Amino acid sequence: MKQRIFKNKSEFILIFFFSLFLSVLLLSDHVNAAMPQFNDDEAVYICEENSGSVLTSQNENKKIYPASTTKLMTTLVALDYVGDKMDDKVTIGDEIKLADSDSSLADLEEGEVYPWREMFYALLVPSGNDAALTIAVNVARIETGNNTLDNDTAIREFVSLMNKKATDMGLSGTHFTNPHGLQDGDHYTTAGDLYKIAEKVMENTTIQSVVKTPVYSVKTSNNQTKKWLNTNYLLYDSTSASQATDYFSGGANPYYNKLALGIKTGHTDEAGRCLVFSSQDGDKKLLGVIMNADSPDTLFGQADNAINALSSDYQRITWTDDSGKVEDIKVKGTHFFDGRKLTVQTGGTASSMVLNSDKDSYSKDVALNSDFFEKINDSTYKIKASVSEGQQIGTLNINKNGQTVQQIAVYSNKKMRTRNFIDFIILLVVIGLIILICFYIYAKRIAKQRRMERMSARNRKRRRR
């Protein structure tokens, strides 16, 4: 007779559906949180900023058309000349007629006057090519000191500033031909370079506020009210989505992510769908670039999943204390007054963002520059060349399963010199002092011994009497 596992049919059905529900729930969480897969022709570079850890990357050095993500460099160059003068006025000129009417526009009108702050909104929220041209012309006139500089010359001057900025930043895979990103065969960047541009742009607090704004309403100098809609779908919650009926039907936005903080989209037929995006969840701060995606669904879905994956699937390993100290080492062969202990430190707290499942695979080791130090054992080195305070003396190597995956510069906490002639003089003096002290102690002991002998002799004479 077979043993019955379930007492009745109802119990079986209840347990079956509960198990099914639990499995689907767990599987759903796993799928939604996992770092997304990318098509082979996409260029991707996604990092956790506070640690500098690369979460995923592919084709990051491949030259790609950037489309309107170009406007991040336009912003960066403009900030060099605008600085903190965000309330200074800009007058819209006939340069806006150079913008293609079927491209993305902020609907600026000739003769309108805007503060620089709102020009950045016009540039980065609706991705206004007209705003890009106005910014370029006005910055070029500031840079040259020529307020009558014609539009074409001004735009060429501004583009030269963009390319100079790229060179100064070491962006070897980047070249610009315009300030807005409309297609040109000689206008390109890479996902890795674009990441560096975005990282620099986001240091500005005004721009941080601009790029996370889904809907921006502005009252113009002509007493009109304009509403600029952000092209970044990650930013629209149900309230703001209801104001963007051109983007969302019925106010529903499947791409909204409450952790998203911007930054900039781009799209042309040649560039595909591009997105520079950021997010923050506690101390987890993401900055990512996706280029040449095939559709908005693909692009925003990938970005959404990447943001969620960082929140749920990763944790931080901290390699230093709060001051950046890695470890103390003993150093032999140093100058007498420099001591024998050196603190190896990074420029600040050093950490890595790693998958929860991989945490136990990571380790660290310090590799000091062999031009300065010779390793004797795990905690002791011999100094070969003098180092100054704050000088880089090696790297903190972060290893996964024994393979180095990240290197962080380490520095000396103080000046430390090799032994020199003075050390040998000091050594001779110290040895001489030690010898003198020993002779002094020896002489004192002999003198005491002789006094004791004399006293003993006198005592013996007294007893004989």
Side-chain angles (χ1 to χ4, degrees):
M1 179 175 166
K2 294 183 179 180
Q3 184 178 1
R4 295 183 64 184
I5 300 175
F6 301 100
K7 296 180 179 179
N8 54 58
K9 188 175 181 180
S10 298
E11 181 179 338
F12 169 80
I13 292 173
L14 181 63
I15 293 175
F16 172 80
F17 279 105
F18 175 79
S19 301
L20 182 63
F21 170 79
L22 184 61
S23 299
V24 170
L25 182 63
L26 291 174
L27 182 59
S28 175
D29 286 346
H30 176 73
V31 171
N32 288 338
M35 191 61 67
Q37 296 295 313
F38 297 93
N39 298 328
D40 291 342
D41 55 354
E42 289 180 272
V44 179
Y45 196 72
I46 301 175
C47 296
E48 198 282 318
E49 284 195 275
N50 289 333
S51 64
S53 299
V54 180
L55 305 182
T56 187
S57 64
Q58 69 175 42
N59 301 325
E60 66 269 25
N61 297 316
K62 181 180 178 181
K63 292 178 180 178
I64 302 285
Y65 300 129
S68 282
T69 60
T70 297
K71 290 166 181 146
L72 294 178
M73 180 58 95
T74 301
T75 300
L76 197 56
V77 172
L79 288 172
D80 287 341
Y81 294 89
V82 175
D84 58 357
K85 299 176 182 178
M86 289 288 180
D87 295 321
D88 284 6
K89 304 297 183 182
V90 180
T91 300
I92 309 302
D94 61 356
E95 70 277 346
I96 61 173
K97 296 177 182 178
L98 299 174
D100 291 348
S101 59
D102 59 348
S103 65
S104 58
L105 300 172
D107 295 325
L108 303 179
E109 298 178 23
E110 191 173 347
E112 290 180 331
V113 179
Y114 293 91
W116 274 108
R117 186 185 317 277
E118 290 183 342
M119 287 303 301
F120 287 117
Y121 276 97
L123 178 72
L124 297 172
V125 175
S127 195
N129 291 340
D130 46 359
L133 291 166
T134 296
I135 288 172
V137 168
N138 280 272
V139 167
R141 289 172 180 167
I142 294 172
E143 193 269 337
T144 60
N146 183 358
N147 289 330
T148 62
L149 200 66
D150 68 89
N151 293 333
D152 290 339
T153 303
I155 291 169
R156 286 196 299 271
E157 178 65 22
F158 185 83
V159 170
S160 72
L161 294 176
M162 295 172 72
N163 287 318
K164 182 180 184 302
K165 188 77 170 178
T167 299
D168 292 345
M169 292 176 64
L171 309 181
S172 58
T174 295
H175 184 263
F176 299 108
T177 62
N178 61 64
H180 40 62
L182 288 180
Q183 179 60 28
D184 185 295
D186 202 30
H187 186 100
Y188 53 81
T189 188
T190 70
D193 283 358
L194 190 53
Y195 176 92
K196 294 175 184 177
I197 295 169
E199 190 175 35
K200 193 69 176 175
V201 167
M202 291 296 281
E203 292 177 3
N204 186 282
T205 55
T206 296
I207 302 304
Q208 290 174 18
S209 298
V210 171
V211 297
K212 69 181 181 181
T213 303
V215 180
Y216 187 77
S217 295
V218 58
K219 189 170 184 179
T220 72
S221 57
N222 298 332
N223 289 320
Q224 298 178 8
T225 299
K226 293 182 179 180
K227 183 171 69 175
W228 291 327
L229 303 178
N230 202 312
T231 54
N232 185 351
Y233 294 176
L234 295 173
L235 302 174
Y236 287 91
D237 60 14
S238 57
T239 301
S240 54
S242 65
Q243 302 180 58
T245 54
D246 290 346
Y247 296 162
F248 311 107
S249 59
N253 174 21
Y255 311 110
Y256 172 64
N257 192 301
K258 64 181 181 180
L259 302 175
L261 299 174
I263 301 174
K264 188 71 192 75
T265 65
H267 173 232
T268 64
D269 291 342
E270 295 83 358
R273 297 283 176 171
C274 303
L275 178 65
V276 183
F277 62 108
S278 67
S279 68
Q280 185 156 7
D281 183 13
D283 69 343
K284 296 178 179 180
K285 191 174 182 181
L286 180 145
L287 180 60
V289 177
I290 303 172
M291 305 182 76
N292 198 31
D294 56 19
S295 70
D297 284 334
T298 299
L299 181 70
F300 293 113
Q302 289 169 340
D304 180 45
N305 284 342
I307 292 171
N308 293 335
L310 175 60
S311 294
S312 62
D313 291 359
Y314 287 79
Q315 61 180 292
R316 186 181 306 282
I317 302 177
T318 302
W319 304 111
T320 66
D321 65 14
D322 292 342
S323 69
K325 176 181 174 180
V326 180
E327 62 181 26
D328 290 327
I329 60 171
K330 296 177 183 177
V331 184
K332 294 185 175 181
T334 61
H335 185 55
F336 181 82
F337 295 108
D338 293 342
R340 300 292 183 269
K341 186 181 80 170
L342 181 69
T343 297
V344 178
Q345 59 189 19
T346 60
T349 304
S351 63
S352 297
M353 192 63 64
V354 305
L355 280 167
N356 299 332
S357 57
D358 289 343
K359 182 181 179 181
D360 294 337
S361 302
Y362 284 82
S363 62
K364 71 174 182 180
D365 64 74
V366 173
L368 296 186
N369 190 325
S370 60
D371 291 337
F372 301 112
F373 298 95
E374 177 185 345
K375 189 171 185 178
I376 297 174
N377 56 48
D378 287 344
S379 61
T380 306
Y381 292 78
K382 179 180 179 181
I383 191 168
K384 296 169 63 178
S386 298
V387 297
S388 56
E389 182 180 355
Q391 180 176 348
Q392 183 177 347
I393 56 175
T395 58
L396 170 62
N397 295 333
I398 309 304
N399 308 309
K400 181 181 179 183
N401 295 322
Q403 298 295 316
T404 299
V405 294
Q406 185 180 3
Q407 291 186 312
I408 303 169
V410 294
Y411 307 90
S412 171
N413 76 313
K414 66 179 183 179
K415 177 173 66 175
M416 184 165 274
R417 296 161 289 180
T418 56
R419 282 180 183 163
N420 54 35
F421 180 70
I422 294 176
D423 288 293
F424 290 104
I425 293 176
I426 293 172
L427 181 62
L428 289 175
V429 170
V430 170
I431 292 173
L433 287 173
I434 292 173
I435 292 172
L436 287 174
I437 291 170
C438 289
F439 273 121
Y440 175 77
I441 294 173
Y442 177 74
K444 292 280 286 184
R445 182 176 294 176
I446 293 298
K448 181 178 179 181
Q449 184 178 351
R450 288 176 178 175
R451 286 196 303 272
M452 294 297 292
E453 288 175 352
R454 287 194 296 269
M455 289 176 62
S456 179
R458 284 195 297 268
N459 290 334
R460 285 196 298 270
K461 286 181 181 180
R462 290 192 189 102
R463 286 195 292 271
R464 291 193 191 108
R465 293 174 186 171

